[in-house]
Amino acid sequence: MSGIVHKKVTEYIENFGGIQELQDLEHYAKENYVPIVMKDAARFLGFMIAANKPRTILELGTAIGYSALVMAMHGEGQITSVEREESMRELALDNIKKKGYEDRIQVVLDDCAAFLRKSEAMYDFIFMDAGKSHYREYLDLSLPRLSEDGMILCDNVLYKGLVAEEEVARKHRTNIVNLKEFIRYVHEREDLVVSLLSISDGMLLIRRKNKNV
């Protein structure tokens, strides 16, 4: 998926992005049209994990396991990743094993919303990269599972920049309408601190507001 910044700027940034140890997965994703986080987003995700040192991480949307591996490589926490497609889960598990992180990354075969409804675990960091039109539902279900000082990071929230357009093609309309509503919703919540970033295809950082502020 291409970014929302000027093409030449994106290409320049991409030259400094990506994870060297995961270049084989980056190439596989490109050749097989599998959506994974963009290179600059991967670097930012890794930075956030290294800086915040979450002990427990939940990922919504596994794909080939690329972002789960990024998080594992930049921290020491335990990662639970949820994937609804069995074939993709098997591919992710194979990649995770090849990279030697099978002891720290668990991939659950389930629908993300269904998993959140029945989960009783608490997480220090939640990375959302599943169905974009369901982000508001995922957020409402994720907050009870987020530790007090935890953080949520959502990918692809600007959807190729289309959220800023008044008219979009019918095939994108549901995603765009729901993403716009999601972005408005989180900004209007008085209990949350939100930062909307133009990294890659748009990323959204969310945490609870400090009660003392």
Side-chain angles (χ1 to χ4, degrees):
M1 182 175 287
S2 60
I4 58 175
V5 183
H6 189 282
K7 183 178 180 181
K8 287 188 177 180
V9 176
T10 298
E11 291 173 352
Y12 179 78
I13 294 173
E14 289 276 282
N15 289 330
F16 297 97
I19 308 296
Q20 184 175 0
E21 297 87 342
L22 300 178
Q23 284 186 349
D24 56 330
L25 298 190
E26 293 172 4
H27 293 154
Y28 176 90
K30 184 176 181 179
E31 293 174 358
N32 293 274
Y33 304 99
V34 178
I36 61 173
V37 294
M38 292 177 64
K39 291 181 180 180
D40 54 339
R43 283 289 187 187
F44 181 73
L45 178 61
F47 187 94
M48 292 298 296
I49 296 300
N52 291 282
K53 298 178 174 59
R55 294 169 298 175
T56 52
I57 299 171
L58 175 64
E59 177 183 46
L60 302 179
T62 313
I64 60 174
Y66 178 78
S67 50
L69 285 165
V70 170
M71 292 187 285
M73 292 170 58
H74 286 83
E76 299 180 355
Q78 291 293 321
I79 301 168
T80 300
S81 187
V82 183
E83 174 57 49
R84 68 178 183 179
E85 295 186 19
E86 186 171 1
S87 59
M88 197 64 74
R89 174 179 180 269
E90 293 301 319
L91 180 57
L93 286 172
D94 186 53
N95 289 329
I96 290 165
K97 185 176 182 179
K98 286 179 180 177
K99 300 298 181 181
Y101 288 95
E102 67 270 25
D103 61 328
R104 288 183 43 219
I105 304 175
Q106 175 191 16
V107 184
V108 178
L109 182 65
D110 206 345
D111 172 78
C112 293
F115 174 85
L116 287 166
R117 286 192 181 95
K118 60 192 175 189
S119 175
E120 296 182 356
M122 298 298 291
Y123 301 96
D124 299 322
F125 189 90
I126 298 177
F127 180 52
M128 292 189 194
D129 196 20
K132 316 311 171 191
S133 63
H134 298 287
Y135 272 9
R136 175 168 176 171
E137 179 185 18
Y138 295 159
L139 176 69
D140 289 339
L141 293 170
S142 292
L143 285 172
R145 308 266 58 83
L146 187 67
S147 60
E148 184 177 356
D149 296 319
M151 190 175 298
I152 296 174
L153 178 63
C154 309
D155 196 22
N156 306 121
V157 295
L158 297 182
Y159 208 83
K160 306 177 185 178
L162 293 178
V163 295
E165 301 291 339
E166 293 185 7
E167 296 291 334
V168 296
R170 184 184 297 272
K171 64 180 180 179
H172 298 305
R173 198 164 296 162
T174 298
N175 279 334
I176 298 304
V177 169
N178 288 348
L179 279 171
K180 284 184 175 182
E181 167 60 20
F182 170 65
I183 294 170
R184 182 198 61 77
Y185 172 68
V186 294
H187 278 89
E188 290 181 352
R189 284 192 56 153
E190 297 183 355
D191 60 327
L192 301 177
V193 176
V194 180
S195 181
L196 181 58
L197 309 169
S198 58
I199 297 172
S200 66
D201 195 35
M203 305 189 88
L204 188 68
L205 269 171
I206 304 168
R207 67 173 176 82
R208 290 191 184 89
K209 186 174 292 185
N210 190 319
K211 295 179 180 180
N212 298 320
V213 176

